Amino acid sequence: MEKTRVANITSDLIDAVHEICIKHAVTHSEYRAAINFISHAIDSGERSLLFDAFLEANVVASDPTKISGTTSQVLGPFYLPDMPFIKDGVLARKNEPGERLRVFGKVLNTKSEPIGGVELDFWQADAQGRYSHFDGGATPEENLRGKVESNGTGDFFLETVKPAQYTIPDSGPTGLLLKEMGRHPWRPAHLHVIARHPDYSTLTTQIYFEGDEYLESDAVRAASTDLAFPLTYEGEQASVSFNLVLQACR
Ligand code: BEZ
Ligand code: FE
């Protein structure tokens, strides 16, 4: 009988774990401790954080369904679905603390032709590195989250604040494991975006800023320098511009 994909992957996973156990002479009490650690992380509300921090970037890199266009990035644990469309691209409140940032984007296909009607679903950390809904109520519920749409020339615009570099939550089980491994918990500053259009593969990516010190040592090993764009200034006003390239559905 031909094995299913689940059976094949599970068999290989078990073989890989077997090899690691032999290599490190893993004891039975360490095996129990590992199970307890994963349960504890889940009970502490870190199910998504634990897996997204250590494993999601590997899957983004291995996924063969996305072969052209803008590089994909991890979704991470801080996405909220069903956020509303925002008016005139104004993502940040007038009194939102931080440096105002104008975002100019253009959506293209792989032939460099503009794509209109693309839904662009943005979320970001604030200027103190906090994500609304995941910050114990420190910021308003849907703060710095919202959708815009590309126009007939593929262009879209956002008025926001520059997100801060931030540490992924580092006082719980995920952070302790990271520390144990000698890794720091910092992520470079970024904007998250999901681009959706019925004729194109959905793109989940992040926009970084050139020169960010954590681009090369991202805690979640996701950041990619081809997604780092320069911050430009006109007087005090900061702007960033980039293209998003979508792959047509096959
Ligand atoms: C994030 O960028 O929001 C993120 C991604 C993976 C783990 C933790 C946070
Ligand atoms: Fe993030």
Side-chain angles (χ1 to χ4, degrees):
M1 197 181 83
E2 204 178 309
K3 278 201 191 166
T4 63
R5 188 166 165 77
V6 169
N8 281 326
I9 293 172
T10 308
S11 296
D12 282 356
L13 181 65
I14 291 167
D15 288 350
V17 172
H18 176 73
E19 249 179 60
I20 293 165
C21 289
I22 300 292
K23 179 177 169 192
H24 295 281
V26 172
T27 66
H28 193 264
S29 62
E30 287 168 336
Y31 164 67
R32 286 286 161 209
I35 294 172
N36 287 342
F37 172 80
I38 294 170
S39 305
H40 174 53
I42 293 170
D43 292 345
S44 313
E46 293 194 356
R47 186 182 61 137
S48 189
L49 177 65
L50 178 68
F51 289 97
D52 295 351
F54 290 112
L55 299 179
E56 194 181 6
N58 298 318
V59 177
V60 170
S62 69
D63 188 343
T65 54
K66 176 71 179 38
I67 48 175
S68 60
T70 296
T71 310
S72 296
Q73 288 283 287
V74 298
L75 178 73
F78 301 130
Y79 174 65
L80 292 180
D82 305 322
M83 288 299 109
F85 277 90
I86 53 175
K87 203 170 166 307
D88 300 327
V90 180
L91 190 64
R93 302 167 290 168
K94 259 207 180 82
N95 59 350
E96 179 70 30
E99 182 183 7
R100 297 306 282 191
L101 173 68
R102 288 193 176 150
V103 177
F104 297 93
K106 195 175 188 69
V107 192
L108 301 169
N109 64 19
T110 51
K111 295 179 202 146
S112 298
E113 294 159 344
I115 316 172
V118 177
E119 178 185 292
L120 299 142
D121 189 353
F122 279 93
W123 71 107
Q124 65 167 92
D126 72 3
Q128 289 185 52
R130 301 173 299 193
Y131 280 95
S132 59
H133 185 82
F134 297 93
D135 60 359
T139 57
E141 178 57 20
E142 295 177 359
N143 206 39
L144 299 175
R145 299 173 183 275
K147 292 173 181 161
V148 293
E149 193 175 276
S150 63
N151 66 17
T153 55
D155 293 291
F156 64 88
F157 171 74
L158 277 187
E159 164 85 38
T160 187
V161 291
K162 186 170 182 283
Q165 300 163 326
Y166 64 84
T167 61
I168 64 169
D170 60 349
S171 55
T174 306
L176 291 179
L177 183 56
L178 206 54
K179 205 173 289 162
E180 182 78 25
M181 292 164 74
R183 281 164 54 179
H184 70 67
W186 287 92
R187 292 220 64 213
H190 55 275
L191 302 167
H192 290 264
V193 61
I194 302 177
R196 303 182 182 95
H197 186 288
D199 300 336
Y200 294 87
S201 293
T202 296
L203 169 70
T204 301
T205 193
Q206 298 181 33
I207 300 301
Y208 302 93
F209 301 94
E210 258 180 31
D212 193 305
E213 67 188 294
Y214 295 117
L215 280 174
E216 304 289 344
S217 68
D218 184 1
V220 307
R221 301 201 164 166
S224 178
T225 47
D226 62 321
L227 294 170
F229 298 92
L231 259 188
T232 56
Y233 282 89
E234 226 173 86
E236 300 261 286
Q237 177 62 61
S239 301
V240 65
S241 306
F242 54 87
N243 293 338
L244 294 177
V245 181
L246 303 189
Q247 172 187 300
C249 291
R250 281 175 296 161

